[in-house]
Amino acid sequence: GRINAQACLHPGVADVLLDLLDFSGSEVYFHHEESLVGKTYKEALVSYNSSSVVGIANDSLILINPDAKTYIGKNDQLIIISLDDNLIKINNVSEDGQSQDKKIIKKYKTIIEKPKILFILGWNNAAPIIIDDLIGYLPDGSQINISNGSKIAEKYIGNLKDTKNIAFQYRQGDIRDREFLESTNISTATNVLLLRSSLYEDHEMADAATLFTLINLRDIRKQNNADFTILSEVLNSANADLISVEKSDDFVLSEKIIHLMLAQLSENPSLNEFFNELMQPEGSEIYFRRISDYVDISHEVNLTTLVEAALMRSETAFGFRLNKETKDKSSNFGIYINPDKSITRKFENKDELIVFAED
């Protein structure tokens, strides 16, 4: 449920999580670096070329994207994203002549998040968890529109207490029906979350109903020249693979992501605290930001410079997304996690930096 809440609001988050979980790319490790004891988090970030520091862990707490001036204690471990734990090798980037080019870093500007118009279609036991987290994530002035055929949902919505300046609207109907979907004004949505239905006991029937609604949603979007993103939930991971994804901001989520998370936890139980911290509305989450807001993209730039630019905004950068590859599934939709910090690249206007940030 918490994965759904983050992934539907921040397109690309599910792709990043799968990349970190599937054992084929970079993964999350806990690593003690004696030479960095007494150094700051900022110094640790630029001390690795082929690994990305994203936090600090000790016996009492997990800190994802802590303050840049946070000192690393003798019992602390760094939370690091790396291709393999054997590749976590300090190389003092700043001493290798690859220090940040601060001339091309832009001055910090406050990012004001616009209100969202969110549609939740369908209902299951995870829906209350999702809605509770969404209330924590959504900016004031947002709308949550809920449509399904569940009387349980209607009762739940009616008992919701006012917590923020977020408007709720509930409509009962068959979300598989094209006419009903259009009557909800779904073409005005910014984000759509399509939940697997609890009305079907059979997994295949539930997935078939989801697919039917998804086909209608994509056609409505195309016919109305709308720009909403779609996060769909299916039960059978094989069905998820069969449903072609039109763009990186659409994602078909299956229980595969939970199975992978459990597999990771079986190898490293310490990751449980990391995932718990990451999946809460409080603290830092994964965001995608325009690189052109951080640096002058008329110049070539390496990730070390982007890490420095992100730090000036109290963020931790650990990857990027190339806009020209967002429809290319073979290129992981343009998402690059933990790229080599020393390699310089020329970015385009819509390319995005992947960061951990509080908002």
Side-chain angles (χ1 to χ4, degrees), residues 3 78 82 132 135 143 201 250 277 294 320 322:
I3 292 171
L78 297 175
S82 183
D132 186 56
I135 291 171
Q143 302 174 32
E201 292 185 5
D250 284 354
E277 179 65 24
Y294 290 75
F320 54 80
L322 302 180

Side-chain angles (χ1 to χ4, degrees), residues 9-10 12 19 29 37 80 84 89 99 108 160 165 177 211 216 221 245-246 258 260 282 288 357-359:
L9 284 182
H10 309 300
D19 196 289
Y29 297 95
V37 172
I80 293 181
D84 191 87
K89 296 180 180 179
S99 58
Y108 172 73
L160 272 177
N165 183 24
D177 184 86
L211 176 56
N216 277 327
R221 181 172 62 186
V245 179
E246 291 188 338
I258 302 299
L260 287 171
E282 301 81 16
F288 287 70
E358 288 198 4
D359 51 48

Side-chain angles (χ1 to χ4, degrees), residues 98-115:
Q98 296 178 31
S99 58
Q100 305 88 340
D101 186 354
K102 296 184 180 180
K103 294 179 182 178
I104 66 171
I105 296 177
K106 293 184 176 180
K107 290 184 179 180
Y108 172 73
K109 291 183 180 179
T110 303
I111 299 173
I112 301 175
E113 192 174 3
K114 296 179 180 178

Side-chain angles (χ1 to χ4, degrees), residues 184-247:
T184 65
N185 292 320
I186 199 164
S187 60
T188 64
T190 56
N191 309 77
V192 174
L193 174 58
L194 176 55
L195 297 176
R196 54 135 181 116
S197 175
S198 60
L199 299 175
Y200 304 93
E201 292 185 5
D202 182 80
H203 284 195
E204 291 302 319
M205 289 182 67
D207 285 356
T210 298
L211 176 56
F212 198 88
T213 305
L214 179 59
I215 291 170
N216 277 327
L217 282 173
R218 287 177 172 170
D219 194 50
I220 289 171
R221 181 172 62 186
K222 184 177 180 181
Q223 294 296 325
N224 291 275
N225 198 28
D227 195 35
F228 56 80
T229 62
I230 307 170
L231 179 70
S232 309
E233 185 183 46
V234 297
L235 292 167
N236 189 334
S237 58
N239 291 334
D241 294 334
L242 286 172
I243 301 172
S244 61
V245 179
E246 291 188 338
K247 59 179 187 174

Side-chain angles (χ1 to χ4, degrees), residues 330-357:
S330 65
S331 297
N332 195 28
F333 304 109
I335 292 175
Y336 293 83
I337 304 299
N338 182 40
D340 192 307
K341 294 185 183 65
S342 66
I343 299 174
T344 58
R345 296 172 178 83
K346 187 76 164 57
F347 290 101
E348 298 178 357
N349 187 47
K350 292 185 178 181
D351 292 342
E352 294 170 300
L353 191 63
I354 306 173
V355 301
F356 283 112

Side-chain angles (χ1 to χ4, degrees), residues 12-25:
V13 166
D15 293 288
V16 173
L17 289 175
L18 272 181
D19 196 289
L20 294 176
L21 293 170
D22 67 3
F23 295 98
S24 63

Side-chain angles (χ1 to χ4, degrees), residues 152-170:
I152 296 175
E154 186 174 11
K155 183 179 179 181
Y156 174 82
I157 301 305
N159 292 331
L160 272 177
K161 296 179 180 179
D162 294 333
T163 53
K164 288 174 66 176
N165 183 24
I166 295 174
F168 282 88
Q169 185 176 38
Y170 175 77

